[in-house]
Amino acid sequence: MLLASLYNYWVVIALMMIGLYMVIAQGNLIKKIIGLNIFQTSVFIFYISAGKVDGGSAPILSEGESLYSNPLPHVLILTAIVVGIATTALALALVIRIQRAYGSVEEGDIQALAHERTEGSEQ
């Protein structure tokens, strides 16, 4: 069965939709960051799945091997994981600053307070 053999791509689609839903539907900034991380993880899984060669071996020259897997997608994902961790740390630091400035991490509350502050400064 072709659909059952491609289960990792179904996992990618499910994780992408969960992450996208969390980013769009949630008002809490922490939950939005978690949604972005879930979405990012699905992209990692997609690249790793696409980079796998069935029957391929490690790219080490040896007798009898003619099909090799390309290690570049996996190396790029390792780099992307490090960048993702740094981005998440920066986003969480910004959320801490926003919470200290506005007293909330809810998007609606922050927008209302920012609107009140801009109206107060115009008058």
Side-chain angles (χ1 to χ4, degrees):
M1 179 100 193
L2 181 63
L3 293 176
S5 66
L6 300 175
Y7 67 94
N8 51 339
Y9 293 105
W10 291 106
V11 170
V12 167
I13 292 169
L15 287 174
M16 276 189 175
M17 293 302 105
I18 291 169
L20 185 63
Y21 174 78
M22 287 181 71
V23 170
I24 293 172
Q26 298 295 324
N28 189 311
L29 296 178
I30 302 293
K31 291 179 182 178
K32 285 183 182 284
I33 293 171
I34 291 171
L36 284 172
N37 282 332
I38 292 171
F39 192 92
Q40 185 179 36
T41 301
S42 71
V43 173
F44 295 163
I45 293 170
F46 175 72
Y47 271 93
I48 291 169
S49 299
K52 174 69 175 103
V53 176
D54 289 333
S57 66
I60 301 171
L61 295 178
S62 62
E63 290 185 32
E65 296 293 332
S66 62
L67 186 62
Y68 298 104
S69 292
N70 187 357
L72 185 62
H74 305 297
V75 172
L76 290 174
I77 294 305
L78 284 174
T79 305
I81 289 170
V82 172
V83 171
I85 291 170
T87 306
T88 301
L90 177 65
L92 290 171
L94 288 173
V95 168
I96 290 171
R97 295 288 304 260
I98 289 169
Q99 196 278 332
R100 287 182 183 159
Y102 292 98
S104 177
V105 293
E106 293 294 327
E107 188 177 18
D109 297 342
I110 294 167
Q111 288 177 349
L113 286 170
H115 183 68
E116 286 176 9
R117 288 182 182 180
T118 56
E119 279 184 356
S121 66
E122 290 176 0
Q123 292 176 356

